[in-house]
Amino acid sequence: MLIAVCAFQVELMAQGQADTVGSLLLYAQQRHYVRVTHVSHPDMNAFTVCLHVLPEDQGSQTVLSYTSSEHENEGSISISADGDSREVGLWIGNEFVNLPHSFKAHVWTNYCVTWSSQTGGADFWINGMVGEQRQLKRGYSVSLSGVFILGRDQDGLLGISNSNAFVGKMTDVNVWDYILSTADIRDQMSCERNSTVVGNVLSWGTTRLGLYGGVELDGQY
């Protein structure tokens, strides 16, 4: 399956100035990471996270981490490939579940993770195909009082971990405060132009990003 990569440009915060440059994040080394500079939103009782990635390494790699004043692992998503073993890892409120799959990615891949506090159900999607559901943190609300980091894990609020760092390319990272429908998940994967293409919590192309450690912005896919 060929995956479209949306051509939204990134708004970059550098030395206090906002610039719109490039549309792809290039993580060439494990010390690279991206900080979402500001998210103002009520606590979430549901969410959808979607992104396109092209990892260069195997092993476990954190693609998104969120630490609040209450929990170090308020929310985190990792992708892992080790031989024939593959999974998506999900932390919510310091509780972890693994979401195993058999998809072997050699090109750009679209991942989506959804979760509902009402049911506790967590689902993941790879290139528009849904995987096996897991249960965690039923009745919980995800606090949005903290910091989003793309490409690295966090050790407490504002602390950056050197383990499980992402190496590769990443783009089209979006977070919604509700569960996207199957049709909407497939639309964002193929970059259909409708109101759900970008998130209402973290919006690719609108939410400002701070680049650290040498992350590069590029428009070449």
Side-chain angles (χ1 to χ4, degrees):
M1 178 184 294
L2 294 177
I3 302 301
V5 179
C6 307
F8 298 134
Q9 291 185 311
V10 173
E11 191 164 281
L12 168 67
M13 280 298 292
Q15 298 179 345
Q17 300 297 319
D19 300 306
T20 302
V21 289
S23 54
L24 177 150
L25 300 171
L26 174 61
Y27 298 76
Q29 300 181 29
Q30 292 186 352
R31 61 186 176 86
H32 295 172
Y33 69 96
V34 173
R35 180 181 177 186
V36 179
T37 59
H38 180 69
V39 171
S40 178
H41 199 280
D43 293 351
M44 295 190 298
N45 294 316
F47 65 74
T48 302
V49 178
C50 293
L51 68 162
H52 283 89
V53 294
L54 180 60
E56 291 186 2
D57 292 345
Q58 291 202 345
S60 180
Q61 302 184 65
T62 300
V63 292
L64 181 148
S65 63
Y66 182 75
T67 294
S68 71
S69 56
E70 290 83 15
H71 294 116
E72 180 174 312
N73 291 302
E74 186 68 44
S76 178
I77 297 173
S78 62
I79 57 175
S80 178
D82 186 7
D84 292 330
S85 176
R86 288 167 174 80
E87 68 179 37
V88 174
L90 174 64
W91 285 93
I92 298 177
N94 278 358
E95 186 174 325
F96 177 80
V97 293
N98 65 321
L99 303 157
H101 64 89
S102 58
F103 181 79
K104 295 183 179 181
H106 302 290
V107 294
W108 280 101
T109 304
N110 181 257
Y111 289 90
C112 290
V113 175
T114 67
W115 171 80
S116 167
S117 173
Q118 182 177 4
T119 64
D123 290 290
F124 77 103
W125 304 70
I126 299 179
N127 293 348
M129 303 298 293
V130 68
E132 184 178 348
Q133 187 181 82
R134 291 286 193 267
Q135 297 286 319
L136 79 164
K137 303 300 284 188
R138 182 176 180 180
Y140 185 73
S141 293
V142 175
S143 170
L144 284 184
S145 60
V147 176
F148 281 100
I149 296 291
L150 306 180
R152 294 277 289 276
D153 199 1
Q154 299 185 60
D155 286 332
L157 198 62
L158 299 180
I160 305 299
S161 170
N162 291 322
S163 63
N164 301 329
F166 176 78
V167 177
K169 299 177 181 180
M170 182 186 304
T171 190
D172 307 328
V173 184
N174 289 283
V175 180
W176 296 260
D177 64 356
Y178 58 92
I179 295 178
L180 294 188
S181 68
T182 299
D184 287 340
I185 285 176
R186 290 173 178 167
D187 281 350
Q188 65 77 36
M189 178 187 72
S190 58
C191 306
E192 291 294 328
R193 293 287 180 173
N194 60 40
S195 61
T196 63
V197 168
V198 294
N200 63 344
V201 177
L202 193 165
S203 304
W204 190 256
T206 301
T207 302
R208 293 180 176 182
L209 306 177
L211 310 188
Y212 297 88
V215 175
E216 297 179 10
L217 279 170
D218 196 358
Q220 300 298 316
Y221 299 98

